[in-house]
Amino acid sequence: MRFLFFLMISAHGLPNSSKIRVARSFLRMQISDIEKPKTTIREMSSQMRDVRAQIEMNEEVKAYMDAMRGAALSDYDAAQTEMRLIQADENDSEKLPLVYDPLVLENYYAKRPLLTVQRLLQLSNALGGLLFSLTSDAISGKLKENEVIRVAELREAITSLGPFYIKLGQALSIRPDILSPKAMVELQRLCDKVPSYDSKIAFAMIEAELGKKIEDVYSEISPEPLAAASLGQVYKAKLKSTG
């Protein structure tokens, strides 16, 4: 009604016949809006399903959506890649620091240059072949064609290099501005399927943290981890106290 009042004021000074035509036009607009069918929730849902179906038909968009949803999580067996580790001398009077402190670690490795050289050799051995393959792809113009293959090789390489590099791979797995959707899916396997360490070590750490034996806390626990990532691994267990 406010709009009608504004309309009549705007028409002030016009002949009466013109005012009548303006009013009739406004009324027709109102009646048309009333008669126009409203979209129901069911129809909206149907439209959304149609949009999803169209997305699924577009292979590239589907791959992108799968990547953003983490489609590769828990969809294949755990990796069997062997870790490349540096073995510290057990007879060394100064033990490897277990708490992160840049200065302490720098001082520790400064006294042991052979360990640093050994690690550099591991890096070059793990990534050298991949860099050669990437260079070859760039020269032959096959970077896009071989992207997923190279990313799979990268995943294997960084898995073998340990937790720090696995974290880098996990960060890359959510970067659509750097990698294609298929490459992202390949790297997402680093989130829960990396080689696990010995369960004896894990159980010893649990007992040290809880101050109790495993059997005193859990009525049952899976002998092997269900999943393993960069810094931890998951076991299925049942508490004695709550069942």
Side-chain angles (χ1 to χ4, degrees):
M1 294 305 295
R2 290 180 181 176
F3 181 74
L4 178 59
F5 179 70
F6 171 76
L7 202 61
M8 296 307 293
I9 290 178
S10 300
H12 182 69
L14 295 174
N16 288 336
S17 58
S18 297
K19 291 181 181 178
I20 292 171
R21 281 198 299 270
V22 170
R24 285 176 176 172
S25 298
F26 174 75
L27 288 173
R28 278 197 296 269
M29 291 169 55
Q30 295 298 306
I31 293 171
S32 175
D33 286 343
I34 292 172
E35 292 177 349
K36 188 180 296 183
K38 303 297 183 181
T39 303
T40 64
I41 295 177
R42 181 176 296 177
E43 290 172 338
M44 292 178 64
S45 299
S46 177
Q47 292 172 6
M48 291 297 294
R49 284 194 296 270
D50 291 341
V51 171
R52 291 195 192 100
Q54 292 175 11
I55 290 175
E56 295 294 327
M57 291 174 63
N58 187 317
E59 187 175 342
E60 185 175 351
V61 175
K62 182 180 183 298
Y64 178 80
M65 296 300 293
D66 286 344
M68 298 308 293
R69 292 170 183 156
L73 298 180
S74 303
D75 69 343
Y76 80 121
D77 293 334
Q80 300 300 319
T81 306
E82 184 178 351
M83 291 282 191
R84 302 171 190 264
L85 303 174
I86 296 176
Q87 297 295 333
D89 187 357
E90 295 182 358
N91 298 319
D92 195 336
S93 58
E94 186 179 356
K95 299 298 181 182
L96 177 68
L98 299 180
V99 178
Y100 179 73
D101 187 319
L103 294 178
V104 173
L105 288 169
E106 181 181 0
N107 182 58
Y108 178 86
Y109 284 105
K111 298 176 182 178
R112 299 162 180 82
L114 290 179
L115 292 181
T116 303
V117 172
Q118 183 182 351
R119 188 57 172 170
L120 290 174
L121 289 174
Q122 288 180 347
L123 285 170
S124 62
N125 187 32
L127 300 174
L130 175 61
L131 292 175
F132 177 81
S133 297
L134 286 172
T135 303
S136 176
D137 290 343
I139 294 173
S140 60
K142 294 184 177 180
L143 276 175
K144 190 67 177 177
E145 179 182 340
N146 294 335
E147 180 184 20
V148 176
I149 296 174
R150 299 298 171 238
V151 171
E153 293 173 356
L154 174 63
R155 175 176 56 79
E156 293 289 339
I158 60 182
T159 297
S160 72
L161 291 171
F164 173 76
Y165 296 91
I166 292 172
K167 280 295 181 189
L168 292 180
Q170 291 173 348
L172 277 175
S173 73
I174 54 172
R175 294 295 302 273
D177 56 323
I178 297 176
L179 299 175
S180 72
K182 290 182 179 180
M184 289 169 59
V185 169
E186 185 66 37
L187 283 184
Q188 283 171 1
R189 295 174 177 177
L190 293 170
C191 295
D192 68 343
K193 295 295 182 182
V194 300
S196 60
Y197 51 85
D198 194 333
S199 291
K200 291 180 180 179
I201 299 174
F203 291 164
M205 293 175 65
I206 293 173
E207 291 179 346
E209 288 290 328
L210 299 179
K212 297 180 180 179
K213 292 288 186 181
I214 288 283
E215 54 270 21
D216 294 336
V217 180
Y218 303 105
S219 58
E220 59 182 68
I221 186 170
S222 58
E224 297 299 330
L226 304 180
S230 56
L231 299 176
Q233 50 197 44
V234 180
Y235 292 85
K236 183 178 180 181
K238 184 181 291 186
L239 287 170
K240 269 191 172 182
S241 58
T242 61

